[in-house]
Amino acid sequence: MPGQEALPKRLFATAAALGRAGVRTLAGAVLATGAALLPRGGVRDGLRAVPATAVLLAACRPFKGSHIFWPRGVFTMPAFAAGSALTLWPGRPTPADGP
């Protein structure tokens, strides 16, 4: 059947475009989360959200092309886990806050 050779190319082109849009949306969500965490607890505590945002944004770049492939993908997933865990840091009470 004519044109069947072009079908996989179109499929991969569509998948690549969706992947790019997904990673851009993920990066936007990371920035929005970081911005939402900034005002939490004043300036000192709000700035604790910066490392989490930085780690998550850094993980977005390799996620685009290699989130399942060795070696970059293997290191990208723990980076997302670490960045996500760091988002809890601004909410952690300090000894001055009391129980």
Side-chain angles (χ1 to χ4, degrees):
M1 191 186 263
Q4 273 190 322
E5 300 84 26
L7 185 61
K9 289 181 183 179
R10 288 192 321 207
L11 178 64
F12 280 105
T14 301
L18 288 172
R20 282 190 302 273
V23 170
R24 285 188 200 121
T25 304
L26 175 62
V30 165
L31 288 172
T33 301
L37 291 174
L38 277 176
R40 202 174 179 190
V43 174
R44 183 181 65 89
D45 289 337
L47 289 178
R48 291 181 180 176
V50 173
T53 304
V55 169
L56 287 168
L57 279 177
C60 282
R61 175 72 171 116
F63 186 73
K64 182 180 136 198
S66 60
H67 62 280
I68 60 171
F69 301 111
W70 175 260
R72 283 176 35 185
V74 172
F75 296 112
T76 300
M77 295 292 96
F80 272 114
S84 297
L86 282 171
T87 61
L88 299 174
W89 187 27
R92 205 175 282 158
T94 60
D97 294 338

